[in-house]
Every structure is written in C-alpha cells, then in structure tokens.
C-alpha cells in the first residue's frame, strides 16, 4: 500500500500537496499517513518555565548568543567598522555609536558613545572602515572623517557627483557619475591597483579605473564591477595586477581576504581564504577560483571572516566566523555551510566582530561584540526582557557568568563557570546526573553531589579549592563529605556540613591570604551567603553574622568591620549579597537593605550608601537575590520586583536605565536567582503563555507569527516550519537520523514476537517547550470525524535544544485491519 501524505490547513492544501510531492511517496505494509494542522486545541495545566535576562557575554542566559532586540526603527542602511557603527534613517538622518578614538564618528567627544547620537542629515548612503567613516549625501557630495585622527574632528567634503562608495581597512574607493573609480588611503598590497607608490598613503584621491558600476573594498583588496558586468579584483591574495573573475555579475562584497558575488541568474559565488568557513563550501579550504554556493540570492555582504546573503524571499543567511555570536545563529561557533538567521530582511552589514541587519519594517538588529558600544544598545549581548530557557526547571542558581538549574533529576548549566579548559556554553547542557547544586566564581566552582560529597574544580590560587594545594584542577577533586550548603566569593570558598559547622578556604575575608585546606569558622550555621569580599552566615537560631570588607556598609554594622564576626540581625530568615551591598529578609516578611547604593540597588530612591540596615519593604517578601549592583525580591503574591543597575537589562523591564526605586518585573513567579549582571526566575506559564514566549524568542512577530496569515493568505508554511522543522523552500538540516530529511511525521508497521501483536508506530518531530499542542490520531477510513487520539505512551527523545522526537505506537493486526491512517493535530493553545 502506498503512503498518502496530505497536509490540511484551510484552503491551501492543494498547492501545498503539489509542492511537497517529492517527499509524499513511500511504500510500507498497509498503512497510510495524514498529517493535519489545526487550531484551537484544548488547554492543559500550567508548568514552571525558567526565564533569564541581562548580560549574555558567555551564554549565561542559556538562550543562545542571540541578536539584540530592536535598536532603532525607520532605518534605511547601516555600516559597521571595527568598533563603531553608522546608520541612516529613511528621512536622511545619520546616526552613529561606538568608539570615536580615531575620529570615526566625527565631531562628538573622542570618548565615543554607547547610544546612537545624531551626526548629520540629508544622507543617502554610509560606509565604515576599520577606523574610518564616509557618507554620501543626497546631493552627491562625499564626506569623510580624518583618517586615524583624534575624536572631535568634523566630517569634511572630499568629492562631488558620487554614486557609490565602499570602505576597506586602510583605503576607501568610490565611483562618480561618469563611472570613474577613485581611491584614497593605503596601497601597500595593490588595493588601489598598479601604478601607484605602494608605500605611499594617498590623502589626495587617485584615479583607479573607468567604466565602473559597483565597488567593494576589502581588508587589503578591492573588487569592482564594470559596466559590461565583468567582475575584477586587485590587492592582497589576488596580486597587485588586476584580475578578471567572472561575467554577468550584479552584486559583490569583500571581506578580509575573501569575496562574494551574485550573477544575474541569482547564483551566489565565493572566492578566497576560507579558514573559518566563510566561503560556505562545507570545508575550510581556500579557493583561488570562484565556487557556486547558493541560488535565488539578491544581495551579499562580507565581514572580516564571515559572509552573509539575502535571498529573494527576504531570508538572511550567513556562514564563517562567529566571534561572540556575530553570525547571529545563536552560537559562537564558526560554520562552513550557510545557516538561516532571520526572515523579512532587506539589508545587512558586517564588521570585525559585529554584524547588523535591517528588516523590511525598517527595524535595526545587532549581533556580536559590543565592547565599545558599537551596537548602540548596552543590552545587545543579552536581553532587556525575560526570555524562556527551559520548562520544568527548578533549583536555579546563577554565578558571575553562568546559570544552573535542575531538570529531570539532572543538573544543567549554561555560560562560563570558570573551569580551567572549559569554554562557554550558550545553551544549557546536562552537566551531571548526580549533582545537587553547583556555584562558581569567574575561575573556580564548587560541586555538591547528591551523596553530599563536595568537589572543587578550576583555578587553585590562594588554595580556594580546599584540596591542600594551590594547583589548578581541570577535573573535579573531592574536598569534603556530609556537605549541605556551598558558596564562593572573590578567591574564596565556603561550605556548611550537616552538623552545622561552616568552613572556608582560599583568600579568606577575615585576613588569611592562603588557606589551602578547609578551616572551620563557625558552628550552628544554617546558611552561608558569600559576597565578593565579605561573607554572611545565618545561624539555626535566626541570627545573622557578617565579617570581611565593610567599606560601603555592606555588613550593616555601622563603620565596624572585624576581623571577628559581628551580629547584624536577630530575626533573619534569609540574606543575599551583591558586590558591595546586602539584602536581609526578616521572618516577618520585611526587607532590609544596607551597603553601597550608587546604582540604586538599595531601592530607597536616594542613591546614598547605608552603613546600617534600612527597612525598604514592610512585609510580604518571601525571597531575595542580589547581583553585582542590582537587587531582586519576590513577594508572596508571586510578583517579582527589582532595583538598581539595569545597563545589561538585568532587571528585565525592556530598557537599560538604572532603577533607584523597586519596579515590578513579572507575576506568577515561583523562584529567583541573580548572577553578576544577569537574572533568572521561574514562572508558572500556561501553554498559551509558552507559545507567545517562544515565538518572541525566535523573532516570530508580525507576519511571521502563528497563526497570522502570510502575504499569500496561507499560514501553513509558517506552521510547518515552526511545528515540524519543515520549510517549503529549503531542505531542513540538523535532525538526527531516523527523522527523515524533511522532518515530516512518519509511520511504520512493527512486527511483534510470535505470540504478540504487531504495532502501528507513529513518529514525528516537534519543537520543545513551545506551548503548541501535538495530538497524534488514528483512523481506518479517512472519513471526517473518524480520527481518534492514540492511547499509547509517547516516548520522547531530545534532538537538540530546540527539537525532540516523539514515538508512539498502538497494537495492530494487519489481517483484521488492512489499513490505518495517522495524523498529527498541531494546535495553538487556547488562552
């Protein structure tokens, strides 16, 4: 019997069936398959969802290294250099951000800016070199900054009648209305062609070529298209002599030592170095001749070691280097084949380690490094709004650059935990199966296993690992037994044993420079709360003690600091320590604050430090957490509140402004944690809530959102891609063996033992934790209303951080049931 695969969704089934004909035929015993897509599925109970916000430099949010949220709107074009960015709005306004050390931004302060500032008006196009900027005004005049000059120098006009321009590392080229290509800057590698002094720096424009239509300046090379459509190159890796590469070329881009170009038939070609896969050939082998990579391409862009292209359908694709997420695929790993990045894109720009794209609605998005503020958004490496990480997570914790949680009885972690030889993880990974808790500073961590043994790992300076040495330990080393609480500070560690004894090791805050073995410092301890250079501990009787640094009043004892333990509270239930501030939760639900307050982290609206505890909230508080300079507290009604530093979006309120008074962040919150500049919380979410969260995380908004209609009036393509990883215009990749190339549901007949029945097996791929409701059904007739839900227990196997495979089977006797049809109803959850 032939398998019949039919996709049903509104009125678009016929066309979709024809388009999927190449994957719709397969022979099996006596089964058929019907995959159905429906809406309005019934509600199911709420689940706990872990969310994160704030800095994401090491992947500590666990959401992948994602592009920033929208930086600006109404953007027509963008250009980025090594550490600065220019963009022009539809109305001709020129804006810039980032470094201005070499005058990249013109007349603003040489300190640069981390937020976009207005630089000029009536601008048509922009170009950015490594440390240099140019823009073309609507009247055809070309303006530039003084190359390698100090910040504060204004842009000056250098040419008129210009039609197009491009910037390289040390040279600039442009074409005037007569088709003459001009250039300035370096010619050390022949980037301005032969005939010029290769050691000269050309401050006066030199004539480079004639009959030129388009130009692209690379690091030390230049590509240009002549009026006849021929593509030429000169400079580093290609020789100082001009070399013809191809005919019939309509677009070109140049990177560090590679190039991309598009022919009139929409084919994409690449050439040059390929050490990070920037040519998209599936390997890292350089190419001295062009190779064909993709079809249906309309524009291209090249960064230092990566490449981007936009297809006619508006999808943005990239390959190559991926420094701190500059490729925008959610990781920081290089890729040597094109990967899809975003939909509805009309423009893209790439620099050294930062990339931008402009969507069809004029919104500007950024990816990659932001060390000089070149993204124009201090939260660009993270998120200023809470994003979903995992469902059914508990036991959350946050270190300086890492996050951890318990799921399915295992410990999961994301980010960088300071482990010697271990890299950052942008997505949560299963760290261990027997871990109860873990916590880490920048260079070391403690691991508490379920058997209550304590293990230490990482840098051993000051003896902070407690193994009797100061040696680094790439692998965990056992330190103690019968441990129930752990904590780390700046170059020290602490733990509490079952009997209430508290121990410390490392650079202890009471004055010991090196303590390589655990040293007992208190008894009857219920909790330890380490700060950067101070430490609090709570006794079983509810008395809070603190010792160590008290420069800003973080001990809450006035101006007294020790070196002995000092009482600071007699009614404490819990406490949290920031870098130089402390939160104290009393048993009556009141919240007290003390210490440094320069970012508003004490939430009193005053900004002055406090050396004695101050009652901030009279009651109703059930939990507290503190980051470097921000504070969180959870109330009994499930509302999460925050105050203090928000420059990385760590408060999750959608902006980057510090808050000196408490602001509400979310509701239905069940637990909280704070890292250095990021925050975590778990929240009770319905499937409808989860669906909205995950569509936002994957940039599905507007026409991309489900079940919104597409421009063709049929939402089926979006639903297929989102629910099954099936794209009608591409061949999906990344699925584990057994799922099929398409990701479509599939069926099979599984023979039983000699006395056992056969089974009808149904397999499909679904998006993890999306909130969508998947219901597999069976029918023997295909008649309307004949499909009934399958009753077998689903077996779920994870594929990656986004996808999982589901297998479900029902008893089946082919002699009495000659045919069966399977269908997966993929429904949107009801609100």
């Amino acid at each position: 019997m032939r398998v019949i695969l039919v996709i049903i969704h509104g009125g678009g089934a016929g066309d979709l069936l024809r388009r999927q004909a190449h994957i719709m035929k397969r022979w099996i015993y006596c089964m058929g398959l019907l995959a159905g897509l429906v809406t309005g599925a019934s509600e199911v109970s709420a689940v706990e969802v872990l969310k994160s916000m704030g800095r994401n430099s090491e992947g500590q949010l666990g959401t992948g290294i994602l592009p920033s949220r929208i930086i600006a709107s109404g953007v027509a074009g963008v250009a980025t250099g090594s550490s600065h960015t220019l963009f022009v709005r539809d109305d001709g306004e020129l804006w810039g951000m980032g470094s201005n050390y070499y005058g990249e931004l013109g007349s603003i302060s040489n300190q640069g800016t981390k937020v976009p500032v207005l630089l000029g008006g009536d601008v048509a196009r922009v170009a950015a070199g490594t440390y240099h900027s140019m823009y073309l005004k609507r009247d055809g005049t070309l303006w530039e900054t003084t190359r390698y000059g100090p910040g504060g120098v204004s842009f000056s006009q250098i040419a008129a009648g210009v039609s197009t321009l491009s910037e390289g590392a040390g040279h600039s080229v442009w074409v005037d209305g007569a088709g003459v290509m001009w250039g300035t800057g370096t010619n050390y590698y022949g980037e301005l062609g032969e005939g010029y002094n290769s050691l000269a720096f050309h401050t006066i424009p030199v004539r480079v070529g004639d009959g030129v239509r388009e130009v692209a300046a690379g690091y030390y090379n230049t590509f240009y298209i002549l009026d006849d459509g021929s593509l030429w190159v000169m400079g580093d890796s290609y020789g100082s002599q001009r070399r013809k590469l191809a005919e019939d070329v309509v677009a070109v881009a140049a990177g560090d030592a590679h190039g991309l170009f598009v022919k009139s038939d929409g084919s994409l070609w690449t050439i040059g170095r390929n050490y990070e896969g920037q040519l998209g050939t599936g390997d890292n082998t350089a190419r001295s001749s062009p190779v064909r990579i993709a079809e249906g391409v309309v524009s291209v862009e090249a960064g230092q070691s990566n490449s981007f292209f936009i297809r006619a359908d508006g999808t943005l694709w990239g390959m190559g280097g991926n420094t701190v997420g500059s490729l925008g695929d959610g990781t920081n790993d290089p890729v040597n084949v094109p990967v899809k990045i975003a939909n509805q894109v009309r423009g893209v720009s790439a620099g050294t380690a930062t990339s931008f794209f402009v969507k069809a609605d004029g919104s500007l998005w950024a990816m990659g490094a932001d060390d000089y503020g070149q993204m124009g958004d201090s939260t660009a490496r993270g998120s200023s709004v809470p994003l979903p990480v995992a469902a059914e997570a508990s036991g959350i914790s946050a270190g300086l650059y890492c996050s951890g949680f318990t799921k399915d009885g295992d410990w999961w972690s994301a980010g960088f935990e300071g482990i010697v030889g271990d890299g950052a993880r942008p997505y949560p990974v299963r760290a261990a199966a027997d871990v109860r808790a873990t916590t880490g500073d920048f260079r070391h961590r403690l691991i508490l296993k379920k058997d209550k043994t304590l293990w230490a790992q990482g840098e051993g300076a000051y003896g902070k690992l407690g193994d009797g040495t100061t040696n680094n330990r790439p692998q965990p080393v056992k330190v103690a037994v019968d441990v129930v609480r752990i904590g780390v500070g700046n170059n020290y560690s602490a733990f509490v044993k079952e009997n209430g004894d508290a121990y410390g090791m490392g650079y202890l805050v009471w004055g010991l420079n090196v303590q390589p073995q655990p040293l007992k410092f208190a008894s009857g301890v219920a909790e330890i709360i380490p700060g950067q250079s101070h430490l609090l501990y709570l006794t079983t009787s509810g008395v809070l003690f603190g010792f160590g640094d008290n420069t800003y009043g973080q001990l809450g004892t006035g101006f007294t600091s020790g070196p002995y333990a000092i009482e600071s509270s007699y009614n404490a239930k819990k406490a949290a320590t920031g870098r130089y501030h402390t939160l104290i939760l009393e048993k009556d639900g009141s919240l007290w604050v003390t210490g440094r307050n320069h970012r508003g982290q004490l939430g009193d609206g005053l900004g002055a430090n406090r050396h004695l505890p101050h009652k901030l909230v009279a009651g109703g508080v059930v939990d507290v957490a503190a980051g470097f300079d921000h504070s969180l507290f959870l109330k009994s009604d499930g509302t999460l509140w925050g105050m203090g530093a928000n420059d990385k979006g760590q408060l999750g309120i959608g902006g980057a402004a510090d808050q000196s008074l408490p602001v509400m962040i979310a509701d239905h919150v069940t637990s909280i944690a704070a890292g250095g500049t990021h925050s975590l919380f778990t929240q009770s979410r319905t499937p409808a809530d989860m669906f909205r969260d995950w569509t936002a995380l994957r940039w599905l908004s507007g026409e991309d959102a489900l079940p919104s209609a597409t421009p063709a009036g049929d939402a089926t393509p979006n639903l297929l891609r989102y629910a099954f990883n099936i794209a009608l215009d591409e061949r999906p990749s990344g699925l584990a063996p057994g799922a099929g190339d398409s990701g479509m549901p599939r069926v099979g007949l599984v023979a039983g033992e000699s006395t056992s029945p056969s089974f009808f097996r149904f397999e499909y791929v679904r998006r993890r934790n999306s909130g969508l409701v998947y219901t597999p059904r069976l029918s023997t007739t295909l008649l309307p209303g004949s499909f009934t839900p399958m009753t077998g227990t689903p077996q779920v196997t994870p594929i990656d951080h986004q996808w999982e495979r589901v297998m479900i089977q029902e008893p089946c006797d082919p002699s009495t049931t000659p045919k069966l049809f399977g269908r997966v109803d993929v429904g949107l959850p009801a609100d």
Side-chain angles (χ1 to χ4, degrees), residues 138-454:
R138 291 174 174 173
D139 62 6
T141 56
L142 181 63
W143 298 68
E144 72 167 357
T145 59
T146 302
R147 191 184 299 272
Y148 306 119
V153 178
S154 299
F155 283 86
S156 58
Q157 182 180 335
I158 62 169
V162 176
S163 60
T164 188
L165 72 162
S166 184
E167 286 266 32
H171 72 294
S172 306
V173 287
W174 66 89
V175 180
D176 64 21
V180 178
M181 178 168 63
W182 300 82
T184 58
T186 65
N187 193 33
Y188 301 150
Y189 296 91
E191 53 265 56
L192 296 181
E194 68 284 356
Y196 303 110
N197 184 347
S198 64
L199 298 180
F201 186 93
H202 297 282
T203 57
I204 299 176
V206 294
R207 190 166 184 157
V208 180
D210 297 288
V212 178
R213 185 173 69 200
E214 188 60 70
V215 65
Y219 206 73
Y220 295 124
N221 53 68
T222 303
F223 293 78
Y224 59 95
I225 305 173
L226 294 180
D227 289 334
D228 62 6
S230 60
L231 174 66
W232 296 72
V233 65
M234 53 196 179
D236 183 39
S237 300
Y238 304 99
S240 60
Q241 301 297 316
R242 301 168 197 246
R243 175 187 170 193
K244 185 177 179 179
L245 294 179
E247 300 280 1
D248 202 24
V249 177
V250 296
V252 63
D256 184 345
H258 74 288
L260 303 86
F261 62 90
V262 182
K263 290 193 172 186
S264 61
D265 62 0
S267 60
L268 171 65
W269 301 71
T270 58
I271 187 174
R273 294 180 186 169
N274 196 26
Y275 51 91
E276 291 203 70
Q278 56 263 51
L279 299 189
T281 55
D283 55 35
N284 295 85
T285 303
R287 300 297 199 278
S288 58
S289 298
V291 290
R292 190 167 183 154
I293 298 301
E295 312 299 325
V297 177
V298 294
S299 66
V300 287
E301 167 70 352
Q304 184 178 34
S305 62
N306 56 24
S307 306
F308 298 89
F309 61 90
I310 301 174
R311 281 185 160 144
D313 61 1
T315 56
L316 173 64
W317 298 71
M319 58 260 192
N322 201 10
T323 304
V324 292
S326 57
L327 203 59
D329 69 337
T331 75
N332 52 15
D333 300 320
V335 297
N336 56 24
V337 293
V339 294
K340 187 176 177 181
I341 300 168
N343 298 317
Q344 298 180 344
V345 177
R346 73 180 186 190
V348 60
S349 176
T352 302
T354 310
S355 308
F356 294 82
F357 63 85
V358 182
K359 300 199 79 172
D361 60 5
S363 58
L364 178 63
W365 301 65
M367 313 174 285
D370 191 34
D371 44 347
Y372 294 95
Q374 61 265 43
M375 285 188 173
D377 172 13
S378 58
T379 68
R381 291 278 310 281
S383 176
S384 63
V385 296
L387 296 177
V389 180
E392 300 177 341
S394 62
I396 61 175
S397 72
L400 185 59
Y401 297 121
C402 63
S403 300
F405 58 90
T406 301
K407 180 178 172 64
D408 301 327
D410 297 332
W411 183 260
W412 295 68
S413 64
F416 178 66
E417 294 184 296
I419 306 166
V420 176
D422 193 18
R425 297 178 292 266
Y427 292 107
V429 297
R430 184 183 282 105
D434 59 349
V435 173
R436 180 177 178 183
T438 182
T439 184
D441 193 12
F442 180 58
R443 297 297 299 169
H444 77 294
R445 72 165 174 170
L446 301 181
I447 305 164
L448 177 59
K449 294 193 174 184
K450 292 177 181 177
D451 63 3
K452 299 179 184 178
T453 58
L454 176 64

Side-chain angles (χ1 to χ4, degrees), residues 490-739:
N490 186 22
N491 287 317
Y492 75 89
S493 306
F495 63 89
V496 180
K497 303 192 80 171
E498 269 187 306
N499 62 3
D501 290 344
Y503 294 79
M505 54 263 198
Y507 192 96
L508 297 183
V509 294
W510 57 82
L512 295 179
N513 294 334
V514 177
Q515 179 58 41
Q517 293 179 329
L519 175 68
K520 180 179 174 180
F521 63 82
S523 299
V525 177
E527 295 281 355
I528 51 171
I529 309 101
Q532 176 164 300
S533 51
H534 71 295
L535 184 146
L536 307 180
Y537 65 90
L538 179 65
T539 67
T540 53
S541 60
V543 180
L544 184 67
F545 290 83
F547 49 81
D549 183 23
N550 195 32
T551 304
Y552 299 97
Q554 55 265 49
L555 294 183
T557 59
F559 293 92
T560 306
S561 59
Y564 47 86
I566 302 171
E567 271 182 44
S568 58
S569 172
Y570 290 93
N571 195 37
K573 178 182 179 181
K574 190 174 183 179
T577 54
R579 180 158 43 184
Y580 301 117
H581 74 289
T582 299
L583 310 178
I584 304 170
L585 173 60
E586 299 281 299
K587 292 178 181 177
D588 62 3
S590 61
L591 173 61
W592 297 70
V593 295
T594 187
R596 196 172 192 187
N597 197 24
H598 67 305
R599 305 289 295 273
Q601 56 265 54
L602 301 189
D604 60 4
L606 301 178
N609 300 338
R610 290 186 177 272
H611 288 262
L612 291 172
H614 162 74
K615 183 186 285 189
L616 180 68
V617 182
V621 178
V622 296
D623 202 1
V624 291
F628 266 176
D629 299 312
H630 74 286
S631 305
L632 305 174
F633 63 90
L634 176 62
K635 301 189 75 172
S636 57
D637 62 2
T639 57
L640 172 61
W641 297 73
M643 58 263 191
N646 193 36
D647 56 316
K648 305 301 180 184
Q650 52 265 59
L651 297 185
I653 57 176
D658 292 355
Q659 302 294 314
S660 61
L661 293 170
V663 293
M664 195 178 101
I665 298 169
D667 56 13
H668 297 95
V669 175
T670 53
S671 63
I672 60 176
T677 52
H678 70 290
S679 305
L680 307 176
F681 64 89
T682 57
Q683 184 182 36
S684 179
R685 302 292 276 169
T686 68
D689 295 330
M690 294 169 64
F691 173 74
R692 284 188 287 267
D693 291 343
W694 282 92
T695 53
L697 175 62
R698 302 308 304 169
W699 320 317
L700 295 173
S701 59
E703 289 182 342
D704 281 335
L706 302 173
S708 298
T710 63
D714 181 3
T716 299
N718 286 336
L719 190 51
L720 284 174
R721 179 180 286 111
Y722 189 76
F724 288 119
N725 198 24
I726 302 167
L728 301 184
D729 56 351
E730 65 197 60
R731 176 181 170 138
S733 60
L735 296 182

Side-chain angles (χ1 to χ4, degrees), residues 748-764:
L749 183 65
V750 182
E753 300 295 334
S754 58
T755 59
S756 300
S758 297
F759 290 93
F760 175 75
R761 175 175 290 178
F762 197 9
E763 291 184 76
Y764 58 94

